[in-house]
Amino acid sequence: MFSKIAFKNTLRSIRDYAVYFFTMTLGVCLFYMFNSIGDQQAMLVLSESQKENVQQLTEMLGYISVFVSFILGFLILYANRFLIRRRKKEMGIYLTLGMSRFRVSAMLIAETFLIGIFSLAVGITLGIFGAQALSVFTARMFQANLSGFYFIFSKEACLKTILYFGVIFLVIMAFNTISVSRLRLIDLIYADRQNENFRVKRLWISVVVFLVSICCLGTAYAIVLKNGMFHETLLLAIILGIIGTLLFFFSLSGFLLRLMQAGKKHYFKNLNMFVLRQINARINTAFLSISVICLMLFVTICTLAGGMSISNLVATQNEMDMPYDISFVCYFGGGAEIPEDMAARMEKAGVPLKEYSKASSQVDLLSTEISHAEMAKGILDVASIDPLFRPYFEEEGYFLRAVSLSDYNGAMKACGRSQMELAADEYSIISPVISHNSTMQELARQIVDKGKTITLGGKTYSPSAADISENSICNRDFSGTWILILPDETAETLVKDQRILNLMYKDGINEDEFLHKMDEALMENISPDDDASVFDMYTSRQQMIDNTVGVRVMVLYLALYIGIVFLIVSAAVLALQQLSDVSDSVGRYALLRKLGAEETMVNRALISQTAIYFFIPLLLAVVHSVVGLTVVNREFGILYMGAQMLDGALFAGLVFLLVYGGYFILACLGGRAMLRRGRRS
């Protein structure tokens, strides 16, 4: 009899409180999917650097999973608290009929166990299939060969999921036992008649607080839009934003109702008056949780949209930032003898360059005494330049480097890009793509367009009529400074800073094989006492691509994992609060029917109430996100070729439609089920 009651209660709970099970199942599914990534590489053909990236990602997701388990644990505990609150009267009846508190607690433990088994089974099953799709996506991100695809079941991820959620369910069982032992019979019997206290605020207080909230939010927006993400005032903007959000929802309950009452035509139409008063009462008692949810939705939108966009941007850098298959660099001034011909020196050391390369170019990077501040003098308004780049033009230590015209054209010829022509008294500017590109390039164009002249060796040079160059003379120039292109005669008078050898591989060359042979040759032929340098460092395009893809995957997966978890928490809490409100208001809806309201009007009122409650915090979160993503777009547009946030925004919108929309539908269906039971009773 005891087990039969527990089983029937479980089935009834699954039918009536789908939000609870949807949350647990979705949490289990996500947890398994992201913790199974480490086993997915078994079917992927990855390079050594890619395997290291997957290992780093797995370790990072492991740490994040601990944080996620706590978040989901608190959420499930909150949802369970709602179920216990809904069933207080039922438990009171059990006690009245003679069932002991121990028996009631044992019944709840049995129900929690059955619910846990059910949600774990469904969640892990969905997670297994989701992990296969994630495997395909991971392979595409790493550009790995997936010809050996097969179905993977991650035993480690499954055991980890069962362990973490098993602990959560044990905590819930203990919580339920303690809750039942502390409740009085009178509280259980009359639980459905206890409502939250309603605090009435005066209108003038609501208006004043609303205006203060708008001022706080406006100030926060202005600060972050003016100074950006990397300024010391960011903390002040965050604090003002949080305070403004709290005050906004604190004032909204009194302000919104009075505002809607001013439009009597709409206020008295259908059941709008009832809906607005319900919303007003709910916000009045739950403004703090709604404020937190709004901020979490803001973080979720920025995480999903920004993470996807930044991930895509990182992937677009390789072609422009790394035009050469590999770049070798020697630094002057280190004490070692720098070879005049780096390719010949490497061949002499036994490195088989001719066997592997089809084109090469040697470039000397030169030092000048011309600073960015000198280039900007009289042309650029330094005070108006973005704070991230202003130091280049305010401090004298940022000197331009230079390269000869013949070296530049040789490098462009090797990688198949357009060459340049200069007169004997002309110069041009290189502003590489990676070098904080859009802002620095635009400033360079202003200097060239305004005819800035420079003086070297007593001779004056004017800017070339050709556009500035965005090409790199080696793989990944991170300095951020401009590089001058000078006539050969002028370049010969300058001090050499670096010597660079760029190589382009023959078709079908395996770089790992080339680097392995190079290492063997250098170890065999170069002694520690040899003062003649071969090279000081090298930058491989393929290795940089692998590392870049690793960063891209890590950013994207962390954004997905954290963003979706935050979204689940926000939507689930809203849905549970709305269901709780509907549960408390069953009598009010029944009274509407007695007063003559049609069933369609009652259902429409329920949907309207749920929609308003769901979308008020979302709308403010969207406003926050527009400002936040605008700043991210500007900052990363400077750093990474202009951020294209559209794809990220569309992706975030799709995730919100599926998850947030799913919880909204479940809240509506759950509310209607409660009203139907109330009508029958």
Side-chain angles (χ1 to χ4, degrees):
M1 182 66 181
F2 173 77
S3 58
K4 186 176 181 181
I5 293 175
F7 184 74
K8 285 187 175 181
N9 285 341
T10 302
L11 292 179
R12 186 179 61 188
S13 296
I14 293 174
R15 185 181 65 249
D16 294 343
Y17 305 111
V19 171
Y20 183 57
F21 299 98
F22 183 68
T23 300
M24 290 191 296
T25 302
L26 196 55
V28 171
C29 176
L30 283 174
F31 199 89
Y32 176 88
M33 283 176 58
F34 283 98
N35 282 279
S36 68
I37 289 177
D39 292 327
Q40 295 172 12
Q41 62 176 318
M43 63 181 176
L44 305 180
V45 181
L46 301 175
S47 66
E48 290 301 320
S49 58
Q50 288 175 333
K51 289 180 180 178
E52 291 178 3
N53 289 326
V54 173
Q55 182 63 33
Q56 292 175 358
L57 175 63
T58 303
E59 292 177 0
M60 181 65 70
L61 289 174
Y63 294 128
I64 295 297
S65 292
V66 176
F67 167 74
V68 167
S69 65
F70 278 101
I71 296 296
L72 291 176
F74 282 113
L75 174 61
I76 294 172
L77 197 61
Y78 180 88
N80 181 79
R81 177 175 170 269
F82 164 71
L83 287 179
I84 294 297
R85 180 173 176 269
R86 280 282 301 139
R87 298 179 60 191
K88 282 183 178 180
K89 185 174 182 179
E90 175 190 341
M91 289 185 288
I93 294 174
Y94 289 145
L95 293 175
T96 304
L97 293 175
M99 186 179 289
S100 66
R101 290 180 183 271
F102 175 79
R103 279 291 208 179
V104 173
S105 298
M107 184 182 65
L108 289 177
I109 290 174
E111 291 178 19
T112 304
F113 178 77
L114 291 173
I115 292 169
I117 293 297
F118 177 78
S119 60
L120 278 172
V122 175
I124 290 177
T125 301
L126 294 176
I128 290 172
F129 287 99
Q132 312 312 309
L134 197 62
S135 298
V136 176
F137 187 69
T138 304
R140 292 185 60 185
M141 294 280 283
F142 278 106
Q143 300 177 357
N145 187 352
L146 199 60
S147 57
F149 177 84
Y150 57 91
F151 197 87
I152 284 183
F153 171 74
S154 175
K155 182 179 179 181
E156 181 180 351
C158 182
L159 292 176
K160 189 174 182 179
T161 303
I162 294 174
L163 174 63
Y164 278 54
F165 280 85
V167 172
I168 291 173
F169 288 123
L170 287 176
V171 172
I172 292 174
M173 292 177 188
F175 173 81
N176 290 344
T177 302
I178 295 172
S179 298
V180 172
S181 65
R182 289 183 175 180
L183 290 173
R184 296 183 303 171
L185 181 60
I186 188 67
D187 295 329
L188 295 173
I189 295 297
Y190 292 101
D192 59 340
R193 301 185 184 182
Q194 297 174 4
N195 292 321
E196 297 179 83
N197 294 327
F198 181 81
R199 300 185 298 274
V200 179
K201 294 189 286 287
R202 296 180 182 273
L203 177 60
W204 68 270
I205 295 178
S206 297
V207 172
V208 170
V209 174
F210 180 79
L211 293 176
V212 172
S213 71
I214 296 300
C215 291
C216 288
L217 292 176
T219 304
Y221 295 160
I223 290 174
V224 75
L225 287 171
K226 179 181 179 182
N227 299 324
M229 298 170 55
F230 306 107
H231 195 269
E232 58 187 8
T233 57
L234 178 62
L235 179 60
L236 175 61
I238 293 174
I239 293 173
L240 287 174
I242 294 173
I243 294 173
T245 302
L246 287 169
L247 294 179
F248 178 83
F249 287 107
F250 179 77
S251 65
L252 193 62
S253 60
F255 185 76
L256 178 63
L257 182 61
R258 298 299 179 91
L259 184 65
M260 296 303 296
Q261 285 176 336
K264 297 186 183 298
K265 180 178 179 181
H266 296 284
Y267 181 70
F268 291 110
K269 184 178 180 181
N270 297 326
L271 297 178
N272 291 348
M273 178 175 63
F274 173 79
V275 171
L276 290 171
R277 286 190 173 275
Q278 288 283 100
I279 290 293
N280 184 75
R282 189 61 195 164
I283 295 177
N284 187 63
T285 57
F287 78 93
L288 183 60
S289 62
I290 295 176
S291 301
V292 173
I293 289 170
C294 175
L295 294 173
M296 289 181 66
L297 291 174
F298 161 63
V299 173
T300 301
I301 295 172
C302 290
T303 301
L304 292 175
M308 173 62 75
S309 300
I310 293 172
S311 171
N312 289 337
L313 290 169
V314 170
T316 63
Q317 300 304 297
N318 299 325
E319 180 63 26
M320 292 298 293
D321 296 348
M322 296 174 286
Y324 314 100
D325 288 323
I326 193 167
S327 294
F328 297 91
V329 181
C330 286
Y331 294 97
F332 287 83
E337 178 185 347
I338 304 301
E340 286 294 325
D341 188 333
M342 290 182 65
R345 177 72 181 95
M346 294 181 72
E347 288 280 358
K348 183 179 178 181
V351 181
L353 294 186
K354 293 181 181 178
E355 181 182 343
Y356 289 92
S357 65
K358 63 180 180 182
S360 65
S361 62
Q362 182 170 295
V363 178
D364 284 344
L365 197 57
L366 314 169
S367 299
T368 76
E369 296 182 354
I370 301 174
S371 67
H372 285 72
E374 181 181 341
M375 294 290 287
K377 190 175 181 180
I379 296 180
L380 301 179
D381 180 11
V382 175
S384 65
I385 296 176
D386 191 281
L388 188 62
F389 312 105
R390 204 175 297 156
Y392 284 105
F393 304 96
E394 292 179 333
E395 303 173 11
E396 291 293 334
Y398 292 98
F399 294 102
L400 275 71
R401 297 166 300 164
V403 65
S404 69
L405 178 63
S406 60
D407 280 358
Y408 173 80
N409 285 336
M412 295 303 101
K413 181 179 179 181
C415 65
R417 297 187 179 180
S418 59
Q419 302 178 42
M420 182 178 291
E421 294 182 0
L422 289 178
D425 60 347
E426 289 183 338
Y427 75 90
S428 188
I429 296 177
I430 302 174
S431 184
V433 169
I434 192 62
S435 302
H436 311 317
N437 121 48
S438 59
T439 294
M440 292 297 284
Q441 288 176 358
E442 181 57 34
L443 295 175
R445 287 190 176 94
Q446 292 182 37
I447 288 174
V448 169
D449 292 342
K450 294 184 179 179
K452 173 67 177 181
T453 59
I454 61 174
T455 302
L456 288 168
K459 186 176 179 180
T460 301
Y461 298 85
S462 301
S464 169
D467 191 16
I468 67 168
S469 172
E470 299 179 1
N471 297 308
S472 298
I473 57 171
C474 66
N475 282 345
R476 283 287 171 110
D477 179 10
F478 289 103
S479 66
T481 59
W482 295 327
I483 300 174
L484 296 173
I485 305 176
L486 300 173
D488 291 358
E489 298 79 5
T490 305
E492 290 175 357
T493 66
L494 300 178
V495 177
K496 294 180 176 63
D497 181 59
Q498 300 175 29
R499 179 159 288 162
I500 303 163
L501 174 65
N502 299 310
L503 297 182
M504 303 298 293
Y505 296 137
K506 293 179 179 179
D507 295 339
I509 291 298
N510 184 306
E511 183 177 79
D512 289 338
E513 178 185 333
F514 167 68
L515 293 177
H516 179 68
K517 286 191 174 183
M518 182 185 72
D519 290 340
E520 286 185 339
L522 295 180
M523 291 179 63
E524 181 179 346
N525 300 322
I526 302 298
S527 67
D529 299 329
D530 195 341
D531 292 333
S533 176
V534 179
F535 62 85
D536 294 321
M537 63 166 289
Y538 70 84
T539 306
S540 159
R541 173 163 57 186
Q542 187 57 52
Q543 289 182 358
M544 292 298 293
I545 288 175
D546 290 344
N547 291 333
T548 299
V549 171
V551 172
R552 181 189 181 195
V553 173
M554 187 171 295
V555 169
L556 180 58
Y557 281 11
L558 291 180
L560 281 173
Y561 200 12
I562 296 174
I564 294 178
V565 167
F566 273 35
L567 180 58
I568 290 172
V569 171
S570 303
V573 170
L574 284 175
L576 291 168
Q577 288 182 344
Q578 178 59 24
L579 288 174
S580 177
D581 184 57
V582 173
S583 175
D584 293 338
S585 303
V586 169
R588 301 188 185 104
Y589 282 97
L591 182 59
L592 289 177
R593 296 190 187 94
K594 292 178 181 179
L595 293 174
E598 298 179 356
E599 191 64 28
T600 54
M601 293 180 64
V602 174
N603 290 332
R604 195 181 304 121
L606 172 65
I607 295 174
S608 299
Q609 178 182 337
T610 306
I612 294 173
Y613 194 69
F614 262 74
F615 292 104
I616 281 181
L618 179 60
L619 289 176
L620 184 59
V622 169
V623 175
H624 290 348
S625 302
V626 169
V627 176
L629 292 176
T630 298
V631 176
V632 171
N633 184 47
R634 187 181 67 194
E635 301 293 348
F636 283 91
I638 291 167
L639 295 171
Y640 294 112
M641 294 179 61
Q644 300 172 358
M645 284 291 174
L646 180 59
D647 290 344
L650 292 176
F651 173 75
L654 177 61
V655 174
F656 263 79
L657 180 64
L658 294 175
V659 178
Y660 205 74
Y663 274 101
F664 169 72
I665 292 173
L666 289 176
C668 291
L669 294 177
R672 289 186 62 181
M674 290 180 185
L675 295 185
R676 283 198 299 269
R677 286 197 305 274
R679 183 179 57 188
R680 289 196 298 267
S681 60

